[in-house]
């Protein structure tokens, strides 16, 4: 049977061969490292060097790579591909809810298990696992279509780079925290000699510039910058997406109206970022990596950056298809996929379900004051909730969970901090409300373009 | 008048130094506003807002015409589904969510926006997706020569109760 | 006497470099003090201040990418005309007709990379607590530079004038329409009227200012071109200068107190 969209083609297999070859070479280096650093494990009552297990794995990768590079003449018969059962399981399990839960779960796991994750072997296993997952997933046509788009390649790279640097910072932080706990000076304080900028820094900068230039030229040759059809204001492409770095904001548009998702929340993000140095009263952790001394600051920032920014970009780029519907990573982007989008407002729920009446509507021809009164009456519950959220919660937080903060920060700093946190929390809160109660708007006043 | 008197009193209370600074701040403020105004163009090279679209008989009942969508950004709709009245009206092709251009799906009898999945009935009223309110009508009237004339400089929003305005539709029985 | 020695002994060479080659300690100090391009740096620095595991080198890479964008951008400007008639075809020609047709590729990929490196630089500065006193204000400048980097990338997105470009900008700029008070579909805009005359209409709101028209058209293309090539880069260059200057003035690269 001829497949129109083949999962595997000769060129894909060949490309994957190079990826496995790279992985093989990386693991050869790792075997060498392991031979010198890792000890032995007891296997079947015998001492076996850990390096031998890695050597076995590397040899396997070498063989897989050879198979890919030489055996690409009949793609249909090629066996190494992502199993269909796994693909359909992932597709059926994935959705905005599970995706967001997974990213928050990962975030919590990284923080709780940091001392375990920063071990080099654990980091290496995670890197290998993610690369092999990526390689196997590339054998799926739909996955390849999205991930392989030239504009999306930097996002894949960014994921690995972000993960690596998060790992690296935690490695440094854990090391520093251990030294502090033992009363020893920080690693960086031991390495405190003054050196001359010429040649050490100047030459590292030069090498860095050469490497970056080489990377850019290679990237420019391999991947062509995208250019679609000439612009037409009548034909909206489906889906039409903002530039990739704004896709986190575009994802917020699912839950909030443009004035919130596009103007208020981004402004709050920027104001919040600028406010950080002025509301962080903690004098510790200035100029070195640490986690234990800045638990709250680092956890909050990581939560904002990883699940709420990077993960949202991934969701918006890879998993949102036509009509901004959610699609699993191996799912075909079907334009006609139907998704029920009938959501209700709090006011509708209150008047129809609780009071069992109609919505209050101002009588026709009434004056402006009456109309305003009726609108406020209609939306009173949502308005009360919103005002309470922004006005009652901060003092409540000041006397309960954030009592120590409040005492140390003073009134103004605390109000700024608590409001920033409330705005940051408003996104996940609205997401959960949407998923669990199909809530559309907390306050719905389309007459004034005022929907929350 | 009161303002001028207030400024005079205030000026009398100020030292010359403070007055000079106030004057400088005032002039700078006006210059900034003027520069901001400079950035708003006065002449636009855009399609005319008023245009003729032929006789009402060109638009059969319960059909959406895509004829003027590309050029002028309006659908001409003739339907009796809005409050049971037989009307012809012009809907703006701008989605009320984020301004993408929805498509009229004849099979499903709805306008569907490709950007975020908002759906609208043939009447223009929203029923699914993130769009917060119905599509907007633009002005429509029968010109002196008997042709229909769209006026895009006027807009009518359902949720503001503006669809009862007589310039927002034409009696469909003329078709 | 070798040719090299002859050149280094000549009046021209000596008028440019006023000291011998930086091979000994004294001249390595002198070169940092006398060279305009190097004087951004201090003369000496603590070892950990240049440790890659500490700095990740992301700020430096960002600056270098800005230079790459400037150079490739200027080269692209020689062939690109920001009008509805020519824009798309000029981009096409830059790929298919021009010699060395990867200039636009390098420009675009470096732009993507710059967004990522700015984020990572910020990430590193946060995680090392380097925004803490006395570096608070430099962090604020850094946030401004982040915004401008995103705006640079956003304005550049429109210039190819293909479907990807105009719809990304349409979706993006439509949010300006919903700006509270200043957008004609924003909450509160209806309050701004004088005697029944609306001050904020679709011909006078924030989006109109951004686009120079009621929809994304030729005026917008021109506006974004100017912003992308002239206005924003000038501001960025100024802020970068302040940013670097303050790194030095606020005590050099951060380190444990």
């Amino acid at each position: 049977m001829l497949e129109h969209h083949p999962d595997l083609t000769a060129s894909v297999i060949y490309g994957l061969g190079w990826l496995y070859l790279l992985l093989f070479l990386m693991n050869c280096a790792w075997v060498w490292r392991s031979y010198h650093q890792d000890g032995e494990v007891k296997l079947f009552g015998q001492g076996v060097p850990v390096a031998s297990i890695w050597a076995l794995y590397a040899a396997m990768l070498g063989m897989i790579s050879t198979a890919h590079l030489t055996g690409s003449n009949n793609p249909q018969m090629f066996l190494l591909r992502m199993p269909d059962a796994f693909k359909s399981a992932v597709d059926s399990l994935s959705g905005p809810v599970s995706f967001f839960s997974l990213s928050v779960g990962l975030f919590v796991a990284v923080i709780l298990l940091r001392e375990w994750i920063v071990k080099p072997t654990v980091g290496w296993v995670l890197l290998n696992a993610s690369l092999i997952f990526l390689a196997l997933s590339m054998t799926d046509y739909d996955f390849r279509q999205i991930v392989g788009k030239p504009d999306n390649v930097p996002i894949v790279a960014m994921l690995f780079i972000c993960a690596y640097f998060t790992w690296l910072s935690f490695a440094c932080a854990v090391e520093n925290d251990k030294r502090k706990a033992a009363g020893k000076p920080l690693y960086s304080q031991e390495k405190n000699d003054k050196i001359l900028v010429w040649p050490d820094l100047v030459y590292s900068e030069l090498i860095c510039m050469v490497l970056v230039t080489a990377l850019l030229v290679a990237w420019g040759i391999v991947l062509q910058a995208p250019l679609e059809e000439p612009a037409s204001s009548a034909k909206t492409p489906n889906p039409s997406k903002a530039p990739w770095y704004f896709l986190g904001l575009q994802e917020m548009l699912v839950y909030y109206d443009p004035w919130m998702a596009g103007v208020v929340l981004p402004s709050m993000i920027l104001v919040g970022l600028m406010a950080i140095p002025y509301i962080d009263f903690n004098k510790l952790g200035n100029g070195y990596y640490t986690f234990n001394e800045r638990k709250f600051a680092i956890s909050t920032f990581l939560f904002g950056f990883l699940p709420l920014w990077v993960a949202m970009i991934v969701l918006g780029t890879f998993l949102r298809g036509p009509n901004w519907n959610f699609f699993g990573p191996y799912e075909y982007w079907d334009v006609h996929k139907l998704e029920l989008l009938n959501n209700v407002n709090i006011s509708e729920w209150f008047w129809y379900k609780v009071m069992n009446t109609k919505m209050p509507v101002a009588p026709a021809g009434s004056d402006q004051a009456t109309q305003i009164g009726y609108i406020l009456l209609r939306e009173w519950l949502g308005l009360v909730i919103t005002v309470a959220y922004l006005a009652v919660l901060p003092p409540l937080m000041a006397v309960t969970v954030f009592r120590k903060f409040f005492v140390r920060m003073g009134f103004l700093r605390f109000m700024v901090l608590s409001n920033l946190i409330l705005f940051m929390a408003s996104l996940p809160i609205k997401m959960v409300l949407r998923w669990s109660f199909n809530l559309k708007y907390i306050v719905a006043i389309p007459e004034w373009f005022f929907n929350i | 008048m009161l303002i001028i008197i207030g400024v005079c009193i205030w000026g009398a209370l100020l030292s010359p130094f403070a007055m000079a600074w106030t004057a400088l701040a005032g002039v700078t403020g006006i210059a900034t506003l003027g520069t901001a105004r400079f950035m708003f163009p006065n002449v636009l090279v855009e399609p005319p807002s008023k245009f003729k679209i032929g006789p009402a008989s060109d638009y059969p009942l319960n059909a959406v015409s895509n004829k003027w969508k590309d050029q002028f950004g309006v659908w001409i709709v003739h339907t009796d589904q809005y409050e049971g009245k037989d009307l012809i009206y012009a809907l703006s092709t701008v989605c009320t969510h984020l301004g993408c251009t929805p498509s009229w799906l004849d099979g499903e009898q709805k306008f569907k926006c490709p950007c975020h999945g908002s759906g609208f009935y043939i009447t223009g009223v929203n029923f699914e997706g993130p769009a917060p309110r119905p599509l907007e009508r633009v002005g429509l009237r029968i010109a002196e020569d008997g042709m229909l004339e769209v006026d895009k400089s006027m807009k009518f929003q359902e949720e503001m109760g503006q669809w009862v305005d007589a310039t927002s539709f034409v009696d469909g029985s003329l078709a | 006497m070798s040719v090299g020695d002859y050149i280094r002994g000549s009046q021209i060479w000596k008028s440019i470099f006023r000291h011998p080659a930086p091979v000994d300690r004294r001249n390595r100090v002198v070169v940092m003090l006398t060279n305009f391009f190097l004087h951004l740096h201090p003369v000496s620095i603590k070892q950990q201040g240049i440790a890659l595991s500490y700095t990740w080198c992301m700020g430096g890479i960002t600056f270098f990418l800005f230079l790459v964008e400037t150079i490739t951008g200027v080269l692209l400007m020689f062939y690109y005309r920001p009008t509805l008639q020519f824009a798309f075809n000029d981009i096409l020609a830059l790929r298919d007709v021009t010699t060395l047709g990867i200039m636009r590729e390098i420009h675009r990929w470096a732009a993507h990379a710059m967004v990522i490196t700015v984020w990572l630089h910020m990430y590193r500065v946060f995680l090392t607590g380097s925004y803490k006193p006395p570096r608070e204000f430099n962090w604020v400048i850094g946030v401004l530079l982040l915004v401008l980097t995103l705006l640079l990338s956003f304005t550049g997105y429109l210039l190819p004038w293909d479907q990807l470009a105009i719809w990304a900008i349409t979706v993006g700029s439509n949010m300006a329409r919903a700006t509270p008070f200043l957008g004609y579909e924003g909450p509160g805009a209806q309050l701004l009227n004088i005697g029944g005359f609306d001050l904020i209409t679709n011909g006078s709101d924030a989006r109109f200012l951004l686009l120079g028209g009621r929809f994304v058209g030729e005026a917008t293309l021109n506006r974004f071109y100017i912003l992308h090539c002239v206005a924003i880069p000038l501001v960025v260059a100024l802020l970068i200068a302040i940013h670097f200057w303050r790194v030095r003035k606020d005590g050099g690269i951060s380190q444990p107190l």
Side-chain angles (χ1 to χ4, degrees):
Chain A
M1 197 184 84
L2 190 71
E3 278 184 273
H4 289 292
H5 298 308
D7 276 345
L8 277 178
T9 62
S11 60
V12 170
I13 294 176
Y14 198 65
L16 284 176
W18 285 103
L19 184 63
Y20 284 115
L21 186 67
L22 182 74
L23 211 53
F24 164 70
L25 293 174
M26 282 161 56
N27 274 287
C28 287
W30 186 258
V31 169
W32 186 82
R33 180 206 170 272
S34 176
Y35 182 73
H36 289 280
Q37 306 238 332
D38 298 339
E40 295 187 338
V41 283
K42 277 265 184 236
L43 267 185
F44 312 114
Q46 247 180 328
V48 180
V50 176
S52 62
I53 299 169
W54 285 110
L56 209 61
Y57 170 66
M60 200 183 74
L61 284 172
M63 283 189 284
I64 291 176
S65 161
T66 318
H68 276 80
L69 287 172
T70 56
S72 53
N73 41 15
N74 191 356
Q76 312 301 326
M77 301 293 288
F78 205 78
L79 290 175
L80 260 175
R81 54 174 80 194
M82 195 63 121
D84 280 332
F86 178 81
K87 290 201 278 191
S88 46
V90 168
D91 280 346
S92 62
L93 284 178
S94 57
V97 186
S98 53
F99 179 83
F100 186 67
S101 317
L102 184 73
S103 64
V104 173
L106 270 176
F107 158 75
V108 175
V110 166
I111 287 187
L112 291 182
L113 303 176
R114 59 185 183 279
E115 294 193 5
W116 179 71
I117 286 176
V118 299
K119 288 181 183 155
T121 309
V122 177
W124 189 254
V125 170
L126 289 175
L127 175 66
N128 272 280
S130 58
L131 280 173
I132 286 179
F133 170 76
L134 183 69
L136 279 177
S137 294
M138 288 305 260
T139 62
D140 180 79
Y141 175 80
D142 295 304
F143 185 89
R144 205 165 60 236
Q145 285 313 101
I146 310 303
V147 172
K149 249 185 170 179
D151 255 352
N152 291 349
V153 168
I155 310 176
V156 180
M158 180 191 68
L159 277 184
F160 280 93
I161 297 170
C162 261
Y164 170 70
F165 281 120
T166 308
W167 181 87
L168 181 67
S169 74
F170 268 110
C172 297
V174 166
E175 159 86 15
N176 279 343
D177 287 342
K178 274 186 190 152
R179 281 167 175 266
K180 282 248 167 179
K184 284 195 287 185
L186 297 174
Y187 180 65
S188 47
Q189 277 165 329
E190 284 179 359
K191 233 172 65 171
N192 226 356
D193 301 337
K194 276 240 174 185
I195 51 170
L196 285 179
V197 167
W198 184 296
D200 288 85
L201 177 56
V202 176
Y203 273 86
S204 20
E205 283 172 353
L206 180 67
I207 292 166
C208 186
M209 286 194 274
V210 171
L211 289 180
V212 172
T213 311
L215 176 81
L216 285 175
V217 172
W219 191 358
I221 291 172
V222 174
L223 283 182
Q224 205 160 57
L227 191 64
E228 294 186 355
E229 292 164 49
S232 151
S233 57
K235 206 167 59 186
T236 310
N238 191 1
S240 47
K241 295 187 174 185
W244 65 269
Y245 37 82
F246 285 149
L247 286 185
L249 299 180
Q250 201 174 351
E251 181 61 25
M252 296 204 297
L253 285 169
V254 177
Y255 305 100
Y256 280 107
D257 259 20
W259 75 276
M260 275 293 282
V263 184
V264 174
L265 289 176
S267 314
M268 289 308 280
I269 294 174
L270 294 176
V271 170
L273 283 174
M274 291 194 215
I276 285 176
Y278 304 99
I279 52 179
D280 187 354
F281 57 87
N282 185 353
K283 292 207 166 43
L284 295 172
N286 186 343
Y288 54 93
Y289 293 98
T290 173
F291 182 79
N292 286 349
E293 292 178 355
R294 303 171 57 208
K295 278 184 179 155
F296 177 76
I298 290 188
S299 311
T300 316
F301 189 82
L302 284 187
F303 183 70
F305 185 61
L306 299 175
L308 287 189
W309 189 252
V310 174
M312 285 292 157
I313 288 175
V314 172
L315 174 60
T317 314
F318 298 131
L319 304 174
R320 289 290 185 181
N323 300 332
W324 209 252
N325 281 336
F326 187 93
F327 291 85
Y330 308 111
E331 202 175 333
Y332 168 64
W333 279 18
D334 181 6
V335 183
H336 300 289
K337 179 177 179 173
L338 277 180
E339 216 167 275
L340 283 177
L341 294 166
N342 292 321
N343 300 315
V344 288
N345 303 329
I346 281 195
S347 51
E348 288 169 349
W349 169 80
F350 177 78
W351 293 104
Y352 293 145
K353 287 270 163 61
V354 180
M355 303 301 286
N356 231 338
T357 60
K358 280 185 176 175
M359 295 258 230
V361 179
S366 52
D367 61 9
Q368 205 158 12
T370 324
Q371 283 186 7
I372 292 174
Y374 268 98
I375 288 174
L376 294 182
L377 173 69
R378 187 185 77 204
E379 300 295 332
W380 75 270
L381 184 59
L383 287 168
V384 166
I385 291 174
T386 311
V387 171
Y389 183 72
L390 289 176
V392 179
L393 272 188
L396 209 63
M397 279 151 65
V399 292
T400 54
V401 276
F402 285 121
R403 198 144 96 205
K404 280 186 195 150
F405 276 50
F406 183 69
V407 172
R408 289 181 66 184
M409 294 174 86
F411 180 74
L412 189 63
R413 279 203 179 92
F414 180 79
M415 282 324 244
V416 174
L417 171 76
S418 54
N419 272 291
L420 288 173
I421 288 185
L422 286 175
F423 268 96
M424 183 160 139
S426 67
L427 179 64
I429 288 175
K430 184 91 188 266
M431 289 162 95
V432 170
L433 287 174
R434 172 70 57 86
W435 299 331
S436 34
F437 304 109
N438 279 333
L439 176 82
K440 186 168 184 185
Y441 293 126
I442 297 168
V443 177
I445 311 182
E447 293 90 339
W448 303 339
F449 306 114
F450 188 77
N451 302 310
I452 298 174
Chain B
M1 195 63 205
L2 273 174
I3 296 170
I4 296 169
I5 295 172
V7 169
C8 290
I9 296 173
W10 191 44
L13 294 173
L14 287 173
S15 69
F17 193 66
M19 239 156 63
W21 275 112
T22 314
L24 183 66
V27 172
T28 314
I30 291 166
T32 312
L33 283 178
T35 314
R37 177 63 187 84
F38 173 83
M39 291 304 291
F40 286 89
N42 290 331
V43 177
L44 296 177
V45 194
E46 289 181 355
S49 62
K50 273 189 190 178
F51 49 91
K52 301 262 174 73
I53 56 166
S57 54
D58 281 4
Y59 303 94
L61 185 64
N62 283 326
V64 172
S65 164
N66 279 317
K67 205 164 150 191
W68 308 100
K69 183 181 166 190
D70 291 0
Q71 199 184 350
F72 293 111
V74 289
W75 287 293
I76 310 301
V77 184
H78 182 186
T79 182
D80 54 8
Q81 289 175 29
Y82 186 70
E83 294 177 348
K85 280 178 267 180
D86 185 7
L87 302 175
I88 299 178
Y89 48 85
L91 285 178
S92 162
T93 61
V94 178
C95 178
T96 50
H97 181 232
L98 268 184
C100 295
T101 309
S103 315
W104 169 250
L105 307 178
D106 222 22
E108 294 160 51
Q109 286 289 304
K110 67 180 181 186
F111 298 100
K112 185 73 177 169
C113 182
C115 288
H116 300 94
S118 300
F120 307 86
Y121 295 121
I122 191 171
T123 58
V125 174
N126 56 318
F127 68 98
E128 63 173 356
R133 54 199 184 83
L135 294 170
E136 287 169 5
R137 283 189 194 170
V138 296
L140 185 68
R141 68 178 192 115
I142 299 196
E144 291 68 29
D145 57 358
M147 300 285 160
L148 290 175
E149 189 185 56
V150 175
D151 184 355
K152 278 193 76 184
S153 64
M154 292 192 275
K155 60 169 189 167
F156 302 93
Q157 293 167 232
E158 199 263 354
E159 75 280 3
M160 309 271 279
Q162 291 167 339
W163 281 11
V164 295
D165 195 311
T167 39
S168 76
F169 59 86
V170 161
D171 185 358
S173 58
L174 295 168
Chain C
M1 197 167 82
S2 73
V3 181
D5 288 338
Y6 176 74
I7 293 173
R8 276 191 290 274
S10 69
Q11 189 183 359
I12 297 175
W13 181 273
K14 282 182 163 175
S15 72
I16 303 172
F17 304 105
R18 296 199 176 278
H19 56 84
V23 285
D24 52 21
R25 191 177 164 81
R26 181 181 179 279
N27 285 314
R28 283 175 173 173
V29 172
V30 172
V31 69
M32 300 307 296
L33 295 174
T34 55
N35 187 306
F36 174 80
F37 296 102
L38 294 177
H39 90 286
L40 275 173
H41 298 93
V43 167
S44 66
I45 194 168
K46 289 220 174 114
Q47 214 176 351
Q48 78 108 15
I50 62 166
L52 270 184
S53 63
Y54 179 75
T55 66
W56 305 354
C57 201
M58 281 302 158
I61 293 179
T62 307
F63 179 56
F64 179 64
L65 288 173
F66 178 71
L67 297 181
V68 170
E69 290 299 90
T70 310
I71 293 164
T72 53
V74 167
L75 291 173
L76 290 174
M77 281 166 79
F78 283 115
Y79 284 100
Y80 174 81
R81 289 164 287 181
T83 59
L84 297 196
Q85 193 187 352
F86 294 120
F88 181 80
N89 290 326
D90 284 351
I91 295 287
L92 210 58
L94 271 166
R95 183 178 80 196
D96 296 338
V97 182
T98 324
T99 310
L100 210 66
I102 59 164
M103 211 51 81
R104 177 175 166 244
E105 272 72 18
I106 294 179
H107 194 75
R108 191 181 186 97
W109 301 142
H112 284 346
M114 190 170 155
V115 170
I116 297 173
T117 53
V118 167
W119 290 352
L120 289 173
H121 174 58
M122 195 163 192
Y123 196 34
R124 192 285 286 179
V125 170
F126 184 88
L127 291 174
T128 55
S130 305
Y131 58 84
K132 297 193 176 193
R135 297 186 181 80
E136 305 104 307
F137 187 64
N138 218 10
W139 167 270
V140 175
I141 293 177
V143 176
L144 293 178
L145 280 168
L146 164 83
V147 179
L148 289 173
T149 306
L150 294 177
L151 283 181
L152 269 177
S153 194
F154 183 67
T155 47
Y157 218 82
L158 182 69
L159 303 186
W161 203 250
D162 61 344
Q163 281 287 66
L164 198 64
I166 67 156
W167 287 101
I169 303 305
T170 303
V171 171
S173 65
N174 273 324
M175 297 187 203
R177 202 167 59 165
T179 315
F181 297 107
L182 298 179
Y184 87 105
E185 287 189 358
Q190 290 147 323
L191 300 176
L192 294 181
N193 67 60
I194 298 175
F197 174 74
D198 283 330
L199 288 179
I200 303 292
T201 65
N202 65 357
S204 68
D205 69 341
R207 179 169 183 269
F208 183 80
L209 175 68
L210 187 69
L211 299 186
R214 290 194 180 87
F215 52 84
V216 179
E218 180 133 34
T220 317
L221 184 57
N222 191 47
R223 233 158 235 236
F224 276 42
Y225 179 70
I226 303 291
L227 285 173
H228 184 74
C229 303
V230 184
I232 304 179
L234 280 178
V235 182
V236 168
L238 177 71
L239 285 180
I240 287 179
I242 302 176
H243 198 62
F244 286 178
W245 188 75
R246 290 210 61 128
V247 170
R248 292 285 305 280
K249 296 292 157 183
D250 292 342
I253 186 155
S254 61
Q255 52 196 318
L257 297 171

